[in-house]
Amino acid sequence: MMYDVIIIGGSYAGMAAALQLLRARRTVLVIDAGQRRNRMAAESHGFLGQDGSDPAEIARVARSQLERYSTLTWIEDAAVAASGARDGFTVRTNEGGVHQGRRLLLALGVSDSLPNVEGLAERWGVSVFHCPYCHGYELNRGNVGVIAANPMSVHQASLLAEWGQVTLLTNGVLELEKDAKAALATRGVAIERAAIARIDGHADVVLADGRCLAFAGLFAAPRNAPVSDIAQRIGCKLMETPMGTQLHTTETKETSIQGVYACGDAARVPHSISLAVGDGAWAGAQVHQSLVFPRMA
């Protein structure tokens, strides 16, 4: 079967795009490996109408709504290769499936390269976060620790001063210039230069000198990259951002390869469910219009 659109990635952006296409009565194949980026989080915040909801439940309900449309096909598998050109793409999956589509939409999501600190990865999405708008309010203006990961950590620490008393733990990663120190001081941010030994308990930072700093929550600014290299292997151009690597897209969400579009965390910054859903909805509409008006694509 030749689908109108194959969407690789069935999280929030991919489903939002699928909804627009299904409502335009297009045949849509979603290939999803089932690895939502926020799968560790118990609550989602900042998403209008769903504030405080379980992100897994948001995804479950969204998929159930998509499944009401008869032109949807959903495959739980990982896409491993893509080839072809506009109006004739082929996607292969890990389990040996081969599928054809007129357009490709990459809603791949991203991987997070976290600071190499013992105990951090196990608490990612639980008591260690990256987005203050998503998780800052629940810290109730308590002590907030920012574990330095890259130069973006200075901005992150300054911003988080809106949500509590902030300590920037440089951990040997950052050498702060005079201007950065002054800016942090203006925001009331404390600077801790001792190396981090590990994270214990909920969000307790044990330093190499034996001290233990207790925090209501911790933040880090990880480097991001598309979770799959399928876009690079089909030839899509990448671009660098302060947060990492993402797919380059036009205003219509088309990549550097005609007929291949991208949306969600792998194709925009910053990241949140709200922004991913909006980006996906826009991408779905643009892909549909490329099918209706191919000369404009």
Side-chain angles (χ1 to χ4, degrees):
M1 175 179 178
M2 175 66 76
Y3 294 95
D4 288 320
V5 185
I6 298 176
I7 300 176
I8 300 177
S11 192
Y12 309 102
M15 287 194 286
L19 182 59
Q20 309 309 308
L21 291 156
L22 294 167
R23 291 192 55 76
R25 299 185 180 275
R26 293 291 176 163
T27 56
V28 177
L29 169 64
V30 176
I31 302 173
D32 180 57
Q35 294 291 307
R36 286 180 298 104
R37 184 186 181 192
N38 66 355
R39 59 191 179 276
M40 290 77 72
E43 294 183 353
S44 171
H45 293 284
F47 186 12
L48 187 64
Q50 296 288 350
D51 192 53
S53 297
D54 181 345
E57 181 65 6
I58 296 173
R60 186 197 67 77
V61 171
R63 178 172 170 178
S64 70
Q65 292 175 349
L66 294 183
E67 288 173 340
R68 298 172 188 170
Y69 293 88
S70 62
T71 56
L72 172 71
T73 301
W74 189 292
I75 295 176
E76 294 181 357
D77 198 355
V80 296
S83 59
R86 191 173 70 175
D87 289 321
F89 291 103
T90 298
V91 176
R92 301 179 186 277
T93 69
N94 186 58
E95 295 183 2
V98 179
H99 309 281
Q100 282 77 43
R102 295 179 60 194
R103 301 286 186 275
L104 289 185
L105 178 53
L106 306 176
L108 303 174
V110 296
S111 60
D112 295 301
S113 295
L114 302 173
N116 185 22
V117 174
E118 180 182 342
L120 188 151
E122 296 89 330
R123 292 165 176 78
W124 184 241
V126 179
S127 58
V128 183
F129 313 105
H130 80 283
C131 174
Y133 296 101
C134 301
H135 301 286
Y137 184 87
E138 282 64 41
L139 302 183
N140 295 316
R141 295 191 178 277
N143 291 328
V144 178
V146 175
I147 298 175
N150 53 59
M152 279 295 295
S153 299
V154 174
H155 171 76
Q156 188 179 44
S158 295
L159 179 61
L160 275 159
E162 292 292 298
W163 284 272
Q165 178 57 55
V166 177
T167 299
L168 174 60
L169 301 117
T170 60
N171 195 33
V173 173
L174 288 181
E175 288 293 334
L176 298 174
E177 301 291 337
K178 182 178 179 180
D179 289 347
K181 292 178 183 178
L184 291 168
T186 298
R187 296 289 290 158
V189 175
I191 299 171
E192 175 56 66
R193 296 177 176 81
I196 299 173
R198 65 185 184 277
I199 301 174
D200 279 347
H202 175 71
D204 298 337
V205 177
V206 179
L207 301 174
D209 60 15
R211 288 178 294 144
C212 181
L213 306 180
F215 295 101
L218 297 167
F219 285 78
R223 293 283 294 175
N224 304 134
V227 73
S228 165
D229 66 353
I230 195 169
Q232 297 96 299
R233 287 190 283 114
I234 201 175
C236 296
K237 181 181 177 182
L238 300 179
M239 60 181 289
E240 290 297 320
T241 78
M243 298 181 184
T245 303
Q246 71 177 45
L247 296 174
H248 179 273
T249 61
T250 66
E251 291 183 358
T252 63
K253 305 306 295 182
E254 190 169 28
T255 70
S256 57
I257 302 298
Q258 283 195 334
V260 180
Y261 295 74
C263 64
D265 289 359
R268 60 152 294 120
V269 291
H271 303 149
S272 73
I273 293 182
S274 296
L275 295 174
V277 168
D279 202 46
W282 175 249
Q286 296 306 301
V287 172
H288 172 248
Q289 292 188 40
S290 81
L291 293 164
V292 177
F293 309 113
R295 292 184 180 180
M296 297 176 58

